[in-house]
Structures are given as structure tokens and as C-alpha cells.
Amino acid sequence: MIRRHLHWLLVLGGTALLGLAIGVLPDDAEATRAPETSVLAPTHENDTPAAELPVRTATPAQAPAAPPEPPGAWRVATVKSGDSLSLLFARNDLSPQELYKVTQNETAAKRLKRLYPGDEIKLRIDEDRLTELSYEFDLGRSLHMLRDADRFKAEIVQRPLEYRTAQAAGVINDSLFLSAQAAGLSDKLTMELAGIFGWDIDFVLDIRKGDRFAVIYEEVFLDGEKVRDGKIVAATFINRDKPFQAIRYTDADGHSDYYSPDGRSMRKAFLRTPVEFSRISSGFSLGRKHPILNTIRAHKGVDYAAPRGTPVRATGDGKIIHRGRKGGYGSTVIIQHGSSYSTLYAHLSNYARGFRTGSRVKQGQVIGYVGSSGLATGPHLHYEFRINGVHRNPLTVKLPDVQPLPRQYLADFQSHVTPLLASLDLLSQTNVALASDF
């Protein structure tokens, strides 16, 4: 009897010890990883420049066990118009001393110097002390600051972006924007599409019902969610039964541009129009009756009707040789493009800042704004195009090409082009077949 009781006591005691041993083991021993070490840039007078600041790429699939969080609760501070970092700190009850400690990190100070309305800065605050700061200054790239005693360390955390290819095609039934929207293109992509073909097609005058387009473009994803549209990779636009095709290509030096299938640049030395998507109110004519002077007077340019303040772009690279009042032209800018070409922009309401007579300008830069200065009945831009001093019709003059793709890249370009053209052709044919069914 005594032996039987002793036997059961030993069994129960062994079970209890085994239970205690099992209870202290982790639920999943294989899931336990050592925390990832993160290199932080210490604060000192000659802090690491922004380009050399250590970058840590966050990989969610291999995320390490999180280190203990600093004390305090997170707040999200949204930047308002006119805000500075000091105003943002004051609004969140942080003292000037805290601001001083943050801005002592030179690299972080540069990142936080330029804030834009709508930006969000995450602040972890514990008893009026900032313990941590996070600011996503670019898509997938964040400045992260962590308190270390009475100073802050900083790092750039970079989350990888994923690029996926998407397609869209459509037929012009009304306007380009409405037809592109019906095909699933955003306004940004539609503007980019018009910009690519804008040297060959006037999207105000040349578009006709029945014109077609097909586009292959990138979509950008972050953590599995689409965050924006990327660049157009390849596109076809058929205008009045004439096809135009463009392929985006990046050379070995990292320079990207759009080229026709035979390697010619889609860009020309001049833009066709200086005002985007405006209406032509008066064309080039040698026998037009002037609306104010009431006399027959040659109109050696094109008038673009547009709201006052509409940006006016330089149609080509060049040098400003006149910026000021010019008789009936009113406020005027004249640009010299090399030795043969010049362009004139008249009736401006104002000039763009940063330019004066003698300044160099690039194609597409804003040089002024639509107005009605001088002899003008209403807001519009008067635009002239001259070759060797002779006025030419800006709408019909043949525009000079820019340099084609360098020969050393042609073989690689052709290997890049072939599958994209096949995809564009299939997309266009499918779109035509679908359109014919309705």
C-alpha cells in the first residue's frame, strides 16, 4: 500500500516538473530572431551629408523582432500653409530646446527645412520631451530620428517600391481627356501622353473623332498597395489614320527619353504651341483686319485665347534678347534660338520671376503669363516664329529635329523595342475589335 502511494506521488511530481519545463519554452522557437542592428548617424558639427547618410532598407518579409519602443505616445502633426518646424513644435507643446536638439543634426535639419502643406510628421512625445520623430519626405523614404540622452541620431529608412506594367487603349469620341478617362488613364498620364506626341500632333486642332491610342505604362506599389502611376513605357497614337509610336529608353548613362521605333527622338527643337490646351482665336494671315485699328494689317503670328494668368512656355532653348514693353505688343518676351530662329510672346500680364534680358531659358520653362497688355481686345497670347528674321506660320512650319539616339545604343534599343511594339499592336487590334462591336 505504501509502495503504491509512493508510486503515484512520483508520477504526479514528474508530470508537474515536465509541465513547468514546457511552460517556459517559446511558442515558436524558430520564429525568434536576433534584433536587426541599425546604424545611426550621430549628431556632431560636421554631420554626414544627406547623400552619405546611412540608408536602411526595410524588408517587411524579413522584419526582425522590434526593439523596445521609446516611452511616449505618437502624434501626427500635419504641415499647414506657412508652417515651419518651429511652429509645428510649438503647436505640439515642444520647447525651443527640443527644436534646437533636433536641428543640431545637420542632415536632419536639411530634410526638415523644406516642409510642404499636407506633409505629415510623426512625433513621439513623453512628458514634453521628444523621444522619436518620423518624416516620410519622399515615397518610400523616411527620415527617422531617435533620442539618445540629450541629442538625436538620424537614419534614412527606405521601403522598396514595386513597379508593375499596365495597359490602356481607347478611341476619341469627344475630347482627349474624356476618352482617356473612359479608357482608365489618369489626367497625369493623359498629359504625359500629349506631351510625348505634342511635337507632331496639335492636341487642340489636329484631334478628330475616331483617332485611337494605346498606352503601356507603369504603376507604382508600396507594401502591396498602388500609390501612383509611373512613366509611360510605350505608346501609339493614330491621328487622322497616321500612326505615331514612341518608346521610352534609358541609356547606359541613365538618361531617359522617348524615341520613335527607328531611334529618332520624339522631341523637336521647338514645341508646337507655347500655351497648353488653349483655343486659337486668330491664325497666321497676311490680310487680316485688325480688331482695334480697323485696318487691313498682316497678322504674322498666332493668337491663343486663354484665361489671364495662364502660364506661357518657351518653345525652345535659347537666350532672352528682349523682356519689356514693345509698342502694340504690350509686355513682350523675345527669345533668340541659335543664329537662325527667334520667337516672340506678346500681350503678357506678367513675367516669370528669375529671368531678365540675357537669361538663358530651356524648352518648356514658364517665361510669362497670358494677359491683354498693348493693343488687345481680351486676354490672349500672340506668338510669332521667325527664321532668319522672316515670319513663318507657327502651326505649319517644319520644326527641326534634335539629335537621334547615339549609334552605340541602337542594338540594345532595338532589342528593347521589339516586344513593346508587339504588345502595342496587339493592344491596338484588340481595342479596334472591341470598338467595332458597339
Side-chain angles (χ1 to χ4, degrees), residues 270-427:
F270 293 91
L271 298 173
R272 182 63 74 180
T273 57
V275 184
E276 292 181 342
F277 298 103
S278 57
R279 176 178 61 85
I280 291 179
S281 55
S282 184
F284 187 92
S285 172
L286 298 179
R288 188 194 69 153
K289 188 175 183 179
H290 196 281
I292 294 179
L293 301 178
N294 204 27
T295 59
I296 301 300
R297 187 174 182 179
H299 189 248
K300 299 180 179 180
V302 174
D303 289 349
Y304 294 90
R308 183 182 302 276
T310 299
V312 176
R313 305 173 298 166
T315 53
D317 295 355
K319 179 181 179 181
I320 295 177
I321 59 173
H322 177 88
R323 181 180 181 271
R325 300 287 297 190
K326 188 174 176 64
Y329 286 118
S331 298
T332 303
V333 171
I334 301 177
I335 301 175
Q336 185 71 39
H337 311 273
S339 59
S340 303
Y341 298 90
S342 66
T343 53
L344 177 146
Y345 314 77
H347 305 311
L348 302 175
S349 62
N350 210 342
Y351 307 104
R353 293 182 179 179
F355 295 112
R356 56 181 176 80
T357 300
S359 295
R360 305 292 304 185
V361 294
K362 290 289 187 181
Q363 185 183 77
Q365 281 188 309
V366 175
I367 55 172
Y369 303 91
V370 169
S372 54
S373 57
L375 293 177
T377 56
H380 71 280
L381 172 74
H382 176 77
Y383 174 63
E384 295 181 3
F385 190 94
R386 304 177 190 181
I387 302 178
N388 294 321
V390 179
H391 291 83
R392 304 294 294 274
N393 187 345
L395 300 177
T396 59
V397 66
K398 180 175 173 54
L399 300 176
D401 293 327
V402 298
Q403 290 295 319
L405 186 70
R407 294 186 63 180
Q408 67 263 32
Y409 298 126
L410 281 176
D412 182 59
F413 174 71
Q414 289 300 330
S415 66
H416 177 73
V417 162
T418 302
L420 288 172
L421 290 179
S423 297
L424 280 175
D425 289 341
L426 179 60
L427 185 59

Side-chain angles (χ1 to χ4, degrees), residues 36-42 53-56 153-156:
E36 177 184 0
T37 46
S38 151
V39 181
L40 297 176
L53 188 68
V55 175
R56 174 167 61 84
K153 298 176 181 178
E155 66 173 342
I156 300 297

Side-chain angles (χ1 to χ4, degrees), residues 9-30:
L9 284 172
L10 290 172
V11 170
L12 290 173
T15 303
L17 288 173
L18 181 61
L20 288 172
I22 294 173
V24 298
L25 289 175
D27 292 335
D28 185 359
E30 292 183 359

Side-chain angles (χ1 to χ4, degrees), residues 109-268:
K110 289 179 181 178
R111 288 292 182 195
L112 294 167
K113 184 178 180 180
R114 295 180 180 178
L115 302 176
Y116 299 92
D119 284 356
E120 292 184 346
I121 299 179
K122 294 175 64 178
L123 306 168
R124 190 190 288 276
I125 301 172
D126 179 42
E127 297 181 356
D128 299 330
R129 279 175 24 116
L130 180 67
T131 58
E132 193 174 2
L133 180 149
S134 178
Y135 170 47
E136 187 171 24
F137 57 86
D138 195 11
L139 186 61
R141 300 187 69 206
S142 299
L143 167 70
H144 181 245
M145 302 190 73
L146 192 64
R147 193 182 195 100
D148 180 18
D150 282 335
R151 63 177 184 170
F152 284 89
K153 298 176 181 178
E155 66 173 342
I156 300 297
V157 178
Q158 184 169 313
R159 292 183 290 166
L161 299 176
E162 179 187 358
Y163 292 83
R164 304 178 190 175
T165 301
Q167 300 178 343
V171 178
I172 305 293
N173 291 315
D174 28 52
S175 72
L176 171 65
F177 275 94
L178 290 176
S179 300
Q181 190 178 55
L185 289 180
S186 65
D187 286 351
K188 171 186 173 295
L189 286 172
T190 305
M191 289 292 293
E192 187 175 338
L193 179 67
I196 292 170
F197 295 108
W199 285 274
D200 296 301
I201 303 171
D202 187 325
F203 281 89
V204 177
L205 295 178
D206 293 344
I207 299 299
R208 293 293 183 269
K209 185 175 181 178
D211 287 353
R212 306 192 305 277
F213 60 87
V215 183
I216 300 173
Y217 63 97
E218 293 174 334
E219 293 181 318
V220 185
F221 287 76
L222 181 63
D223 298 335
E225 293 187 7
K226 180 182 174 180
V227 288
R228 71 181 182 198
D229 290 320
K231 293 289 185 180
I232 289 177
V233 177
T236 294
F237 202 102
I238 301 174
N239 175 234
R240 302 185 185 188
D241 296 325
K242 183 179 180 181
F244 298 89
Q245 292 183 311
I247 307 294
R248 181 179 172 85
Y249 177 73
T250 303
D251 61 28
D253 296 326
H255 172 73
S256 298
D257 211 339
Y258 290 93
Y259 299 90
S260 64
D262 59 358
R264 289 181 297 106
S265 175
M266 295 301 295
R267 294 186 296 114
K268 301 290 188 293

